[in-house]
Amino acid sequence: MTKHVYTFGDGKAEGKTEMKNLLGGKGANLAEMNLIGVPVPAGFTITTEVCTKYNQEGEEATFAAIKGEVEDAVRATEKAMNAKFGSQSDEFPLLLSVRSGARVSMPGMMDTVLNLGMNDDTVKIVAEKSGNERFAWDSYRRFIQMYGDVVMGVEAEKGESDPFEIEIEKIKEEKGYKLDTEFTPEDLKKLVEAFKKVIKDKTGKAFPNDPWEQLWGSVAAVFGSWNNKRAIYYRRMHQIPDEWGTAVNVQAMVYGNMGKNSATGVAFTRDAATGEDIFNGEYLIDAQGEDVVAGIRTPQEITKEGSLRWAKRAGISEEQRKAEFPSLEEAMPVVYKELDEVQQKLEDHYKDMQDLEFTIQDGKLWMLQTRNGKRTGAAMVKMAVDMMEEGMIDEKTAMLRVEPNRLDELLHPVFDKEAIKDAHTIAKGLPASPGAATGRVVFDADEAEEWKGRGEKVVLVRTETSPEDLSGMNVSEGILTSRGGMTSHAAVVARGMGKCCVSGAGDVVVNYAKKEFTVDGKAYKEGDWISLNGSTGEIYDGKVATIDPELAGNFGQIMELAEKYTRMDVRTNADTPHDAETAFNFGAKGIGLCRTEHMFFEGDRIKAVREMILANDESGRRKALEKLLPWQREDFEGILKAMDGYGVTIRLLDPPLHEFTPNDEKSQEQMAKELGIPADEVKAKVESLHEFNPMLGHRGCRLGNTYPEITEMQARAIIEAACNLKSQGLNPKPEIMVPLIGTVGELKMQEEIIRNVAADVFKEKGVEVDYLVGTMIEIPRAALTADEVAEVAEFFSFGTNDLTQMTFGYSRDDAGKFLPIYLEKGLLKNDPFQVLDQTGVGQLVEMGTEKGRSAKKDLKVGICGEHGGEPSSVEFCHRVGMNYVSCSPFRVPIARLAAAQANIR
Ligand code: PEP
Ligand code: MG
């Protein structure tokens, strides 16, 4: 026969932690606490399977099947608690709580009933036995209110207040009370009658006096609440299957509000903010759990040490502290000692920091809940390392304890905790690049540099950024754009710089002419202070203090372990020697993507670039390219040097040429003057470069195949740089990458140019270097024909930014307009430009890898789209057998940890 009900209490339990699926998380932990000798109010758990039965077969059949077991379980609870359910004798009655508890926590989504068992008879016994009439009647009226609401479905009329609250207000008004706490027992008795009448009037049924009827009604309500709107919505959001069902936990009530010898509180076995091994928490004497969190009374510290620290911060004298806010350690030393032992025991048992709830009823300690506690990124790292060193967990477990994304908190500035409390959010955009920034608004790159030169902190605000804004971005504390998604120029570049960026904030309307932006009609002028949270996308009014991160020793230890356990390498996307060095210091093993064009705006290069673009014929272009060659060679020497001995993937020119042209009249005129041609000619050329779909236009290898001289120059710059370094005794490893190919022919044509140039350079220099020629796989057709492509390519690098764009048909630059709405409506689970779409785009990646390796067994495969630094995507890359992932410098530690975790899992 199937067992439906599992009891616990008095140091015994029929369930245990491992039975979470059947008993729910809460039920399983309540059982486990009993088994390890922690005092828990007795009770029982009705299984999740019964919930499923209830929803399929209905109430009658289900309750008939479990009736006997529930009655036995209530009897066992009575025995363990030495109390009688619905007592008619003069013994203290057994009062129950009825709570939901699914496999995974669904906080506040389902129903709860407290103080069950109260009725016209038991209330009198409770009053007498507790010696506290007010407490008894208050508990009773709370029960009727909760039961009326949750079980009997009493609701407010449209546009009116809650009918129970109306009754409370009536008495308050009559008596001139301000607070509920002023109610006398007589008032509460009146309220009980009024509440019963509300139920009768609203439902046509009487409030049940029979405790058994109360119990069955409550169990049905909790099962039913699995299918309430809130719970269904929550399940959709978190992908929790409907068929899991919830368990029902029925447990003896204990009271922290029974007088001066009672208390209730919450505690953590270690410091959730810093990770230090310090027991801490808050409690209140003569109070219920909700009073601790409600903030009406000031909660007191549990330990004396914590209390002393708190008093010092709050400027409270030692005398006042002792008299009004003593710690639990001082106020109830015996119970405190027991609590301290219990917390240690629970942490040792669960081998993780625990978040506890407890109640002290008349000098006796009861534990109501234990679960693994939430913590900051820094605390996560410290606890994992400490627990490993204490011998509590092994290395692999320690590695898995740190959520990779949380490392971000250790790498970037964050807002000061106190300062952010008062900050006012004015709008929200996409969390494009993490960190916190505060500064004065400027609207263009030159001004950013100018203000910065005067020692000001600035935030650069643009509709969107282009490579022209690079220097301005570099000197800004943060960047805000009103358009663009997670792979927009601003987002990609900011992440590379490790700079805070909020992109695609649609409510921000930028007006360059007026030098202001507006949100909801309110204007922010040049020089006004704003603050950005690049981790959440929030934009704040004014200045908010930030604090710089510290890379403590524990972080290094986690990174060393990552090295030990990883199979894949982590490379970086870096365009400058500086970025390459940053990434190298974070442990990057090479460069997976150097976007050469990102250096075109350095110094005077842009002039030569523009000259090349504006040239009318090949010879004109060649003349301009001559000028660019030494610059590019110098760039590549710097980068190859910074990553000496490691592979450095340098990509040939990729973006459409119009990105580099002067677009306003003034710069067009200036350009014309410099080139000695009429301004009209410049204007006409710029206009001729206009494309309707630049992302699908004349870009990538299409440039190199229509203008082979560009590829020739770039290949020469790379190979010459490598030869020069080799002559200096270094070990450069260039890998030349052709972007945006769709057919093998496109790659083949580029490869021939590169190989011819390389042969020439080797001859000229009398030095040879090893180099590879490979390609990006970022057009679906390249993935579909990867076996053909691999005949030519020596490596593949998946450009999942473009691959996502072209597989979904979502423009990278315009998706910011609809993606947030798609996410809100549940049409997409994640932004596919952030989290790799494994089901769709992932198929192309997997197929491309397999097909590629079918033609070339040892083909080196990596990824260089933004997904290369996102943990779930990194795990996917590991699974499909990639050799490396590549990501922006500040994501390197995250990717390294994620890669090691993927391998451990
Ligand atoms: C990509 O498309 O994924 C990629 C890395 O190239 P880019 O972002 O420069 O187009
Ligand atoms: Mg691309």
Side-chain angles (χ1 to χ4, degrees):
M1 248 187 39
T2 321
K3 188 170 169 57
H4 301 106
V5 178
Y6 288 72
T7 59
F8 55 82
D10 235 357
K12 291 189 283 288
E14 294 176 322
K16 56 184 173 187
T17 286
E18 290 76 24
M19 294 167 77
K20 276 206 173 94
N21 292 355
L22 188 64
L23 303 180
K26 192 182 186 80
N29 276 340
L30 285 170
E32 187 81 4
M33 281 200 280
N34 265 285
L35 291 177
I36 61 170
V38 169
V40 173
F44 55 91
T45 305
I46 308 176
T47 68
T48 52
E49 286 172 5
V50 179
C51 183
T52 307
K53 189 177 166 75
Y54 180 92
N55 286 322
Q56 282 168 0
E57 298 171 26
E59 184 172 312
E60 208 174 316
T62 307
F63 285 179
I66 64 171
K67 187 162 184 283
E69 283 180 75
V70 168
E71 284 170 0
D72 288 349
V74 169
R75 250 164 254 134
T77 308
E78 285 179 328
K79 198 160 154 239
M81 297 306 288
N82 195 20
K84 279 267 167 340
F85 188 48
S87 173
Q88 300 297 322
S89 68
D90 62 352
E91 276 177 80
F92 196 96
L94 175 66
L95 302 175
L96 298 172
S97 67
V98 182
R99 290 186 167 94
S100 61
R103 273 189 214 188
V104 293
S105 157
M106 294 172 51
M109 294 302 126
M110 289 175 284
D111 289 336
T112 295
V113 179
L114 302 177
N115 297 315
L116 189 145
M118 277 286 192
N119 62 20
D120 295 345
D121 306 314
T122 50
V123 68
K124 288 177 197 142
I125 308 169
V126 171
E128 194 194 312
K129 289 280 159 191
S130 67
N132 190 336
E133 201 182 7
R134 189 180 184 287
F135 157 75
W137 284 93
D138 191 45
S139 303
Y140 189 23
R141 74 95 190 160
R142 280 172 195 265
F143 173 50
I144 301 174
Q145 190 173 353
M146 218 173 203
Y147 194 90
D149 168 22
V150 167
V151 182
M152 304 189 72
V154 172
E155 274 178 7
E157 299 290 332
K158 239 199 165 100
E160 271 187 31
S161 305
D162 175 88
F164 296 116
E165 292 301 327
I166 293 175
E167 297 302 325
I168 293 176
E169 284 310 313
K170 264 192 212 159
I171 295 189
K172 273 196 191 165
E173 211 167 289
E174 217 176 280
K175 298 279 174 95
Y177 297 155
K178 283 213 177 68
L179 300 171
D180 295 5
T181 44
E182 293 173 73
F183 279 61
T184 64
E186 289 314 312
D187 297 328
L188 292 164
K189 281 179 199 171
K190 262 200 228 152
L191 208 50
V192 160
E193 287 314 311
F195 280 6
K196 284 186 187 169
K197 189 163 175 305
V198 166
I199 291 179
K200 185 82 211 235
D201 290 350
K202 294 266 174 195
T203 69
K205 289 188 215 135
F207 166 77
N209 210 44
D210 174 14
W212 285 100
E213 194 184 335
Q214 294 172 356
L215 178 59
W216 288 111
S218 301
V219 172
V222 173
F223 278 148
S225 69
W226 176 253
N227 283 326
N228 72 27
K229 256 203 201 139
R230 262 185 327 210
I232 292 172
Y233 185 77
Y234 188 90
R235 288 205 290 278
R236 294 280 133 79
M237 250 171 63
H238 292 89
Q239 286 115 46
I240 300 170
D242 290 339
E243 51 297 349
W244 278 6
T246 180
V248 175
N249 296 296
V250 181
Q251 196 180 11
M253 289 287 299
V254 287
Y255 294 92
N257 56 341
M258 265 201 184
K260 293 283 161 245
N261 213 10
S262 299
T264 189
V266 295
F268 300 90
T269 60
R270 297 189 186 211
D271 190 317
T274 65
E276 285 169 287
D277 188 3
I278 297 173
F279 177 45
N280 65 98
E282 292 180 334
Y283 83 110
L284 277 174
I285 291 175
D286 195 10
Q288 287 186 312
E290 63 212 51
D291 303 335
V292 181
V293 273
I296 303 164
R297 283 164 64 188
T298 309
Q300 292 152 239
E301 292 286 325
I302 285 180
T303 65
K304 183 171 175 194
E305 203 189 311
S307 179
L308 289 171
R309 241 183 294 135
W310 167 82
K312 199 168 157 203
R313 262 202 325 269
I316 283 172
S317 73
E318 178 59 6
E319 261 158 48
Q320 193 190 359
R321 184 193 74 81
K322 267 186 162 161
E324 288 175 42
F325 307 103
S327 65
L328 183 69
E329 190 172 358
E330 295 158 293
M332 302 182 182
V334 179
V335 189
Y336 170 78
K337 191 161 168 283
E338 193 190 348
L339 177 66
D340 192 20
E341 281 163 15
V342 166
Q343 64 93 7
Q344 197 55 59
K345 191 176 205 167
L346 285 170
E347 186 180 283
D348 289 346
H349 184 74
Y350 286 99
K351 301 191 190 329
D352 200 354
M353 187 265 274
Q354 296 297 294
D355 165 353
L356 313 166
E357 282 175 26
F358 65 91
T359 283
I360 298 160
Q361 175 176 306
D362 207 14
K364 168 136 184 59
L365 174 70
W366 296 101
M367 302 308 295
L368 300 183
Q369 169 133 307
T370 188
R371 58 185 167 196
N372 295 340
K374 301 234 180 301
R375 61 205 73 176
T376 64
M380 200 173 265
V381 170
K382 179 162 173 55
M383 284 181 202
V385 172
D386 283 355
M387 287 180 187
M388 179 182 79
E389 286 178 347
E390 288 161 24
M392 192 184 268
I393 54 177
D394 62 14
E395 285 179 353
K396 289 183 183 175
T397 311
M399 290 297 289
L400 294 173
R401 282 281 167 86
V402 183
E403 287 168 42
N405 273 333
R406 303 293 300 277
L407 290 181
D408 245 352
E409 294 169 37
L410 280 73
L411 304 173
H412 299 282
V414 288
F415 283 120
D416 181 87
K417 255 203 257 150
E418 290 305 313
I420 197 70
K421 275 186 195 159
D422 303 323
H424 167 62
T425 310
I426 54 172
K428 223 178 150 188
L430 296 169
S433 179
T438 194
R440 308 178 72 167
V441 174
V442 291
F443 293 95
D444 79 46
D446 292 342
E447 254 147 33
E449 284 184 277
E450 200 186 305
W451 283 68
K452 177 74 180 186
R454 295 202 300 259
E456 298 282 358
K457 285 182 160 194
V458 294
V459 170
L460 179 63
V461 182
R462 308 272 311 160
T463 46
E464 55 196 351
T465 65
S466 79
E468 254 175 307
D469 300 318
L470 222 59
S471 55
M473 294 172 76
N474 202 20
V475 297
S476 301
E477 304 303 309
I479 297 121
L480 167 63
T481 71
S482 56
R483 287 177 26 198
M486 294 295 291
T487 56
S488 64
H489 179 269
V492 171
V493 172
R495 280 199 289 276
M497 292 176 170
K499 198 152 288 230
C500 165
C501 174
V502 173
S503 68
D507 293 341
V508 169
V509 183
V510 180
N511 186 330
Y512 291 130
K514 283 190 173 168
K515 287 197 177 184
E516 67 171 35
F517 74 83
T518 50
V519 181
D520 283 340
K522 179 167 181 206
Y524 290 81
K525 302 254 176 227
E526 183 180 67
D528 286 350
W529 285 86
I530 60 165
S531 303
L532 307 175
N533 185 339
S535 312
T536 61
E538 270 152 322
I539 305 158
Y540 300 104
D541 191 9
K543 198 171 172 176
V544 184
T546 60
I547 36 181
D548 283 331
E550 266 174 66
L551 286 190
N554 297 140
F555 174 80
Q557 279 167 283
I558 289 289
M559 285 298 105
E560 265 172 42
L561 286 174
E563 194 70 38
K564 177 172 168 186
Y565 285 104
T566 193
R567 176 186 64 71
M568 280 193 304
D569 278 338
V570 175
R571 292 189 177 196
T572 191
N573 293 359
D575 315 318
T576 65
H578 173 75
D579 287 356
E581 274 159 35
T582 308
F584 184 79
N585 291 335
F586 281 140
K589 294 232 168 77
I591 289 180
L593 174 62
C594 170
R595 293 174 165 106
T596 49
E597 64 275 7
H598 280 183
M599 298 171 92
F600 281 5
F601 281 88
E602 293 266 305
D604 273 348
R605 289 163 211 210
I606 189 63
K607 278 191 202 153
V609 175
R610 287 175 175 167
E611 196 180 320
M612 169 194 78
I613 296 169
L614 297 177
N616 285 323
D617 52 20
E618 188 187 323
S619 86
R621 267 193 302 279
R622 281 194 185 276
K623 233 171 77 201
L625 287 165
E626 276 300 296
K627 294 184 192 165
L628 271 174
L629 175 70
W631 278 317
Q632 289 249 283
R633 189 172 52 222
E634 193 187 320
D635 292 344
F636 299 146
E637 277 182 21
I639 288 172
L640 286 163
K641 207 165 167 180
M643 280 289 173
D644 191 44
Y646 292 108
V648 172
T649 308
I650 299 169
R651 181 179 69 182
L652 302 178
L653 190 63
D654 179 60
L657 296 180
H658 74 82
E659 284 197 12
F660 307 106
T661 53
N663 291 317
D664 58 292
E665 222 158 279
K666 206 172 118 208
S667 35
Q668 284 175 1
E669 270 164 25
Q670 203 182 335
M671 187 77 232
K673 215 188 263 165
E674 263 160 40
L675 295 178
I677 52 172
D680 283 355
E681 211 172 294
V682 174
K683 197 169 172 227
K685 184 77 189 182
V686 170
E687 273 165 16
S688 78
L689 285 170
H690 172 80
E691 292 178 309
F692 287 104
N693 280 314
M695 274 289 178
L696 301 175
H698 195 186
R699 60 172 286 223
C701 69
R702 298 160 202 169
L703 290 169
N705 281 328
T706 45
Y707 306 135
E709 53 279 9
I710 298 179
T711 304
E712 278 172 27
M713 182 279 287
Q714 291 203 296
R716 177 168 280 276
I718 296 167
I719 299 293
E720 285 185 356
C723 288
N724 292 351
L725 293 176
K726 184 139 184 217
S727 307
Q728 294 166 25
L730 297 179
N731 181 21
K733 293 188 162 169
E735 300 171 358
I736 302 173
M737 180 154 77
V738 179
L740 218 76
I741 65 124
T743 68
V744 65
E746 288 177 291
L747 173 62
K748 185 89 195 114
M749 190 173 277
Q750 290 288 290
E751 190 220 19
E752 267 167 31
I753 300 170
I754 296 164
R755 298 236 182 256
N756 288 337
V757 169
D760 288 351
V761 176
F762 292 160
K763 230 183 278 157
E764 290 160 25
K765 297 249 173 198
V767 187
E768 292 202 6
V769 290
D770 291 332
Y771 70 97
L772 302 178
V773 179
T775 188
M776 295 194 67
I777 304 288
E778 52 185 342
I779 288 183
R781 195 183 186 283
L784 295 167
T785 59
D787 44 352
E788 290 174 19
V789 177
E791 297 283 349
V792 178
E794 291 180 295
F795 64 87
F796 279 0
S797 180
F798 283 91
T800 43
N801 300 335
D802 275 310
L803 194 59
T804 299
Q805 167 170 261
M806 288 183 243
T807 306
F808 274 90
Y810 294 166
S811 156
R812 286 164 68 173
D813 293 331
D814 301 311
K817 284 209 181 110
F818 57 87
L819 275 185
I821 301 165
Y822 266 37
L823 292 170
E824 207 180 285
K825 295 199 164 173
L827 279 172
L828 290 171
K829 276 185 204 147
N830 295 298
D831 177 346
F833 289 108
Q834 284 178 61
V835 179
L836 185 75
D837 161 48
Q838 297 182 16
T839 349
V841 180
Q843 276 193 53
L844 288 169
V845 174
E846 197 167 3
M847 177 198 300
T849 306
E850 270 169 25
K851 282 196 151 188
R853 290 209 175 121
S854 73
K856 196 168 267 168
K857 207 172 121 249
D858 296 323
L859 184 74
K860 183 153 68 169
V861 178
I863 181 175
C864 65
E866 290 303 299
H867 307 91
E870 191 282 319
S872 70
S873 315
V874 171
E875 179 161 347
F876 175 81
C877 294
H878 174 91
R879 276 206 310 274
V880 302
M882 283 193 194
N883 301 83
Y884 69 86
V885 296
S886 187
C887 57
S888 56
F890 284 85
R891 292 203 76 84
V892 166
I894 296 166
R896 289 176 67 199
L897 178 57
Q901 288 184 344
N903 200 26
I904 291 172
R905 288 206 183 97

